[in-house]
C-alpha cells in the first residue's frame, strides 16, 4: 500500500493542513501512520482522490503515485471502502490508547513512590526530633510545695558534667497512632492499652508522655504501685496522681496531660 504524507496531500490539493483534517473528518477518512516514520500522518492515493473529487479540486493523477480510481467509482453512492483502511485506522487508535494508558500508569506509580519516600523522610525526622528532645525531661524541676511528693532525683554522679540517663518516651503521631521509644532498644511496636502495654509499663520507674492535648512526666517511688504525673509550666509545677499501672491507658494519659497543660490558679 502507498502512503502519502499529510504535507504532500496539502500541496496536491492546494489547501492547508487544518482544511485537510476537516475534509477528512467530514468524509470519515482516518489518517494512517507511515510504516517508515510513525510520526507522519498519511492518506492513501484513493482517499486523496476521493477528497479531490467531492470538493471539486483538480488533481493530476501523474503527480500521485499508485493507482487512482476513476471518477465513476468515486462518485458511486455505495462505494466499497478500502478493506485495509478501516482495520488499520482502528489499530492505530488502539495503539494510541495503549500508549496513553501506559504513560498514565507510569506517572501514577512515580507519584506513589514519591509520596511514600516523603512520608518515610517525615517519620524519620519526627523520630530524630523526639529522641533529641528526651534530655529536656531531666531538666524539669521538682515541685517545691511541701504537700506534694518530690519526684525522684537522679543519683549523684562521680563524674562532673556526666549526662543524665534517658527515660522512655510515648508520643502521639499526626495519624492518631502512638510512638513508643525505649533508650535501650529504640522504637517498640507495642499496641496501646494491650496486655503487652501494661506489662511493659510495669517494668518502668518513669517515662515521658507527649500527647495530642499536652505533655507530662511521670515517676513512681521504688516499691510503690501508684504513679505520679508532674509538669513545670510558666514557673509553676503541677502534680497529680495517675493511679496504678493498670490505669495508665492512653485516654487517661491524654486527660491528665490536658489538665497539666494549664497551670492551676
Amino acid at each position: 500500500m502507498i502512503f502519502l504524507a499529510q504535507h504532500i496531500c496539502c500541496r496536491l490539493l492546494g489547501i492547508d493542513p487544518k482544511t485537510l483534517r476537516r475534509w477528512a473528518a467530514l468524509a470519515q477518512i482516518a489518517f494512517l501512520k507511515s510504516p517508515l516514520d510513525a510520526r507522519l500522518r498519511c492518506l492513501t492515493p484513493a482517499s486523496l482522490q476521493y477528497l479531490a473529487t467531492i470538493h471539486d479540486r483538480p488533481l493530476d493523477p501523474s503527480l500521485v503515485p499508485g493507482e487512482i480510481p476513476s471518477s465513476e467509482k468515486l462518485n458511486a453512492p455505495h462505494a466499497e471502502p478500502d478493506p485495509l483502511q478501516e482495520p488499520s485506522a482502528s489499530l492505530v487508535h488502539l495503539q494510541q490508547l495503549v500508549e496513553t494508558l501506559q504513560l498514565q500508569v507510569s506517572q501514577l506509580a512515580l507519584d506513589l513512590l514519591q509520596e511514600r519516600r516523603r512520608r518515610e523522610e517525615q517519620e524519620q525526622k519526627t523520630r530524630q526530633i523526639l529522641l533529641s528532645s528526651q534530655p529536656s525531661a531531666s531538666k524539669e524541676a521538682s515541685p517545691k510545695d511541701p504537700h506534694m511528693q518530690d519526684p525522684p532525683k537522679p543519683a549523684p554522679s562521680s563524674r562532673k558534667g556526666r549526662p543524665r540517663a534517658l527515660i522512655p518516651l510515648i508520643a502521639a503521631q499526626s495519624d492518631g497512632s502512638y510512638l513508643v521509644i525505649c533508650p535501650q532498644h529504640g522504637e517498640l511496636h507495642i499496641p496501646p492499652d494491650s496486655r503487652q502495654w501494661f506489662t511493659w509499663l510495669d517494668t518502668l520507674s518513669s517515662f515521658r508522655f507527649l500527647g495530642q492535648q499536652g505533655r507530662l512526666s511521670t515517676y513512681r517511688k521504688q516499691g510503690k504501685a501508684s504513679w505520679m504525673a508532674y509538669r513545670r509550666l510558666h514557673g509553676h509545677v503541677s502534680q497529680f496522681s495517675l493511679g496504678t499501672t493498670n490505669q495508665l491507658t492512653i485516654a487517661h494519659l491524654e486527660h491528665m496531660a490536658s489538665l497539666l497543660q494549664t497551670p492551676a490558679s
Side-chain angles (χ1 to χ4, degrees), residues 27 29 45-55 59 69 74-76 79:
I29 296 176
S47 299
L48 179 63
Q49 182 63 56
Y50 181 72
L51 291 177
T53 301
I54 63 177
H55 291 283
L59 186 64
L74 292 174
N75 294 328

Side-chain angles (χ1 to χ4, degrees), residues 17 63 89 112 134 198-199 212 218 222:
L63 299 178
L112 289 175
Q134 286 196 58
F198 295 110
T199 301
Q212 298 177 356
T218 69
Q222 187 175 4

Side-chain angles (χ1 to χ4, degrees), residues 130-262:
L130 292 176
L131 287 173
S132 63
S133 65
Q134 286 196 58
S136 61
S138 60
K139 299 180 181 179
E140 295 197 15
S142 58
K144 299 300 182 180
D145 192 333
H147 299 288
M148 298 183 181
Q149 298 184 18
D150 294 334
K153 297 182 179 180
S157 174
S158 59
R159 294 175 57 187
K160 187 176 180 179
R162 182 177 179 180
R164 298 178 180 180
L166 301 178
I167 62 176
L169 171 68
I170 303 171
Q173 302 295 291
S174 59
D175 59 357
S177 62
Y178 288 83
L179 182 67
V180 179
I181 298 179
C182 175
Q184 292 78 23
H185 303 97
E187 182 178 354
L188 302 178
H189 298 281
I190 301 178
D193 301 345
S194 63
R195 179 178 299 179
Q196 185 182 4
W197 168 270
F198 295 110
T199 301
W200 174 68
L201 290 175
D202 201 41
T203 63
L204 307 179
S205 59
S206 63
F207 65 87
R208 289 189 67 207
F209 178 76
L210 302 180
Q212 298 177 356
Q213 306 297 328
R215 60 190 178 94
L216 54 81
S217 298
T218 69
Y219 73 94
R220 63 175 177 175
K221 290 185 178 181
Q222 187 175 4
K224 300 292 184 179
S226 60
W227 288 79
M228 298 297 297
Y230 68 95
R231 183 185 177 188
R232 173 178 288 275
L233 188 64
H234 305 307
H236 180 83
V237 178
S238 300
Q239 181 171 259
F240 293 95
S241 173
L242 290 175
T244 57
T245 301
N246 59 359
Q247 295 177 293
L248 299 183
T249 63
I250 286 294
H252 186 48
L253 292 174
E254 286 284 4
H255 176 65
M256 297 305 299
S258 63
L259 292 178
L260 289 173
Q261 184 68 20
T262 304

